[in-house]
Amino acid sequence: KGQIFLAQRGPKTKNERGCWENPGGGVEFGEKLEDAAKREVMEEYGAEIEIIKQFPAEDHLIPNEKQHWVATTFLAKFKNGSVPKIMEPEKCSNIGWFNLNNLPYPLSIITKLDLEHHSKEISNY
C-alpha cells in the first residue's frame, strides 16, 4: 500500500530515544539473521513477518552517543492476519504506518540511510 511500519524508540532503549525506526534488535549466538529478525518482531510486536529481501549491511554510526553498530535491514511484510502491537512499552513508545512522503520526525540514523538507499524498492511493496 506504499506505507512503511515504523516504531518510536522508548525511554529504556540503548540509543536514539524518541526516534522512529524500522523494528530491529540483536542476534543471539548461532541464530541466523532472518530468524533473528522474525523473532525480534514477534517479541516486540507480537506479529509474524515474511522476509522478502535482505539489504546490504550498513554502518550505523551514532556520533553523539559514541556508538557504532552494523545493521542488516530486511524488506519484509506482515503475514496475513498478523497485526503488530506494542509488547515492550519500555522499548517502544508508539507504532504506526506511514506514507514514504509523510514520515514522522525524528527518524533514526539507520532508518534514514535505509530509506535513502532503498526507498524505491520499499515503495514497490
Side-chain angles (χ1 to χ4, degrees), residues 105-117:
Y105 179 85
L107 292 175
S108 71
I109 293 167
I110 193 62
T111 298
K112 284 191 249 182
L113 285 172
D114 287 337
L115 290 168
E116 181 180 312
H117 295 144

Side-chain angles (χ1 to χ4, degrees), residues 30-74:
E31 187 175 37
K32 293 181 179 181
L33 294 173
E34 283 193 23
D35 294 336
K38 291 175 183 178
R39 176 186 49 77
E40 287 286 351
V41 171
M42 179 55 75
E43 287 175 1
E44 296 177 10
Y45 307 101
E48 288 186 279
I49 59 169
E50 176 186 326
I51 303 288
I52 297 168
K53 179 179 182 171
Q54 180 177 352
F55 295 142
E58 292 275 356
D59 288 303
H60 180 184
L61 299 169
I62 310 170
N64 294 344
E65 300 180 34
K66 298 197 182 329
Q67 294 183 29
H68 183 173
W69 301 83
V70 178
T72 302
T73 302
F74 292 94

Side-chain angles (χ1 to χ4, degrees), residues 2 16 18 24-25 29 32 40 42 51 53 55 57 61 70 77 84 86-88 94 98 103-104 117-118 121 124:
E16 295 189 277
F29 181 76
K32 293 181 179 181
E40 287 286 351
M42 179 55 75
I51 303 288
K53 179 179 182 171
F55 295 142
L61 299 169
V70 178
K77 64 180 181 178
I86 298 172
M87 304 293 286
E88 298 176 321
N94 203 352
F98 301 92
L103 297 170
H117 295 144
H118 307 292
E121 290 174 82
N124 289 333

Side-chain angles (χ1 to χ4, degrees), residues 80-101:
N80 285 341
S82 202
V83 179
K85 56 192 168 295
I86 298 172
M87 304 293 286
E88 298 176 321
E90 68 282 356
K91 292 182 181 178
C92 176
S93 301
N94 203 352
I95 58 175
W97 293 95
F98 301 92
N99 291 322
L100 291 173
N101 61 357

